[in-house]
Amino acid sequence: AVLVSRNIDGNGTDRTLDCGIFELDNVKVSFPPQTVDLSASALSYESAIRKTKKSRSWTNTDLKTIANTICKTGEYDLMYLSAYNPKYENILQQDESDIAFLRKLTEKNAQKLKVTDGAIVIYDAKDYEEQAAIFTIAFGDKSYLSGSFNSSLSVTAYSSCHVTYDDDEGNTYEATFAPPTAYSEGEVLEVKEKVGSNQEALELAKRKLRAANKGEITGQFTMLGDPRLIVGNNVEIKGWGDFDGKYSIDKSTHTINTTTSATIHRHQALTTHP
């Protein structure tokens, strides 16, 4: 599938987005009028890593090794772009598919996982947030059809994150991360996840705090079809007062009738690793 936005800037040039290879999983024919609805997935429904549920124990390994083993089983390439590679002495996969198990591990580590064009990609969202904005959306510039912003502090403005774990041998690993720009009145985010050292607990605390606080200020825009609006890219928002700033795209939906809907969140100083 390839999306093409023709003459989007009015200068005769086109923009394209190569979405990669998909496998059809549902075809629906309706009439009248005669229409065909297609549903497809980048992850094959016939793939063993999606179809087969397994129960097994992984011992003395790390996340990258687990991901590499799973990718080989499903005949996918692995793109491990995250700087974080937690180690596991013993972790159980209980009656779940390989891809569900891998997704669960990455979510616990506040990492991102996506399947695209024959590859499984694991990455850190913060690495993409550090990249420059691809363009600016300014108030009244007619680049958008509609939009909205939302500000919420009820469950997202944590001042710090405390990670603790007690292993089977009676050892306790813990760490607290509180950035200098944290909210003084914010709640402490308590996390109980398996870690193997105090340093690993600190790294996890940074990741969990960043993931939890990213929902403080969010937005949504619908624009003319633009292939640049994809997950991981950044845009600059100007002209909306306190909502101004640099935002990352969390979700984008491209339609054939040349519109793109993007859900975004604003970068926060307190969630950036020192």
Side-chain angles (χ1 to χ4, degrees):
V2 179
L3 295 176
V4 181
S5 292
R6 300 194 181 281
N7 196 26
I8 188 172
D9 296 319
N11 58 8
T13 60
D14 300 337
R15 289 205 182 102
T16 62
L17 173 61
D18 188 347
C19 300
I21 299 174
F22 293 80
E23 180 182 281
L24 292 175
D25 63 80
N26 187 66
V27 179
K28 179 182 179 181
V29 179
S30 303
F31 52 86
Q34 294 181 0
T35 62
V36 177
D37 294 327
L38 307 177
S39 175
S41 171
L43 180 62
S44 171
Y45 278 84
E46 295 301 316
S47 173
I49 68 173
R50 180 173 189 164
K51 193 174 182 180
T52 306
K53 291 186 177 182
K54 301 177 181 178
S55 294
R56 55 179 166 175
S57 176
W58 300 80
T59 58
N60 298 321
T61 187
D62 54 47
L63 180 59
K64 186 176 181 180
T65 300
I66 293 175
N68 191 54
T69 302
I70 288 174
C71 284
K72 287 182 178 179
T73 300
E75 298 182 346
Y76 285 88
D77 294 327
L78 173 65
M79 296 178 62
Y80 196 93
L81 306 179
S82 174
Y84 186 50
N85 185 28
K87 294 178 172 54
Y88 304 102
E89 290 185 5
N90 189 8
I91 187 168
L92 294 177
Q93 178 180 349
Q94 296 180 304
D95 193 29
E96 54 191 336
S97 67
D98 283 344
I99 193 63
F101 176 65
L102 185 57
R103 191 178 298 278
K104 181 177 70 175
L105 293 182
T106 55
E107 288 178 351
K108 284 185 176 181
N109 298 326
Q111 295 167 306
K112 297 289 186 179
L113 182 151
K114 67 177 181 179
V115 181
T116 178
D117 206 9
I120 293 177
V121 186
I122 297 175
Y123 64 98
D124 292 326
K126 77 176 186 68
D127 293 335
Y128 285 79
E129 289 188 355
E130 293 170 356
Q131 298 177 6
I134 56 174
F135 60 80
T136 297
I137 303 175
F139 179 78
D141 68 0
K142 298 182 180 180
S143 66
Y144 52 91
L145 302 176
S146 63
S148 64
F149 291 104
N150 184 66
S151 177
S152 175
L153 291 177
S154 60
V155 294
T156 59
Y158 293 104
S159 61
S160 62
C161 178
H162 176 241
V163 174
T164 181
Y165 175 71
D166 298 319
D167 66 17
D168 295 336
E169 298 178 357
N171 299 312
T172 298
Y173 303 113
E174 65 177 326
T176 299
F177 177 64
T181 54
Y183 300 99
S184 59
E185 302 298 326
E187 296 182 12
V188 176
L189 176 62
E190 294 287 349
V191 174
K192 293 186 178 181
E193 297 281 358
K194 187 174 182 178
V195 292
S197 66
N198 291 335
Q199 183 59 39
E200 190 174 330
L202 178 61
E203 175 65 22
L204 185 60
K206 294 177 183 179
R207 292 172 172 274
K208 289 290 189 179
L209 183 64
R210 182 198 160 281
N213 280 344
K214 78 171 188 177
E216 181 196 351
I217 297 180
T218 58
Q220 187 275 333
F221 277 91
T222 298
M223 310 177 71
L224 291 177
D226 194 331
R228 296 175 297 176
L229 293 172
I230 58 176
V231 174
N233 278 348
N234 302 317
V235 295
E236 191 74 26
I237 300 297
K238 288 186 177 180
W240 275 276
D242 288 343
F243 290 108
D244 285 2
K246 186 179 175 183
Y247 288 70
S248 285
I249 299 174
D250 297 317
K251 178 182 178 181
S252 64
T253 302
H254 301 262
T255 63
I256 300 302
N257 62 352
T258 66
T259 62
T260 300
S261 176
T263 302
I264 59 179
H265 76 269
R266 191 170 76 175
H267 298 185
Q268 299 294 318
L270 73 92
T271 60
T272 302
H273 293 200

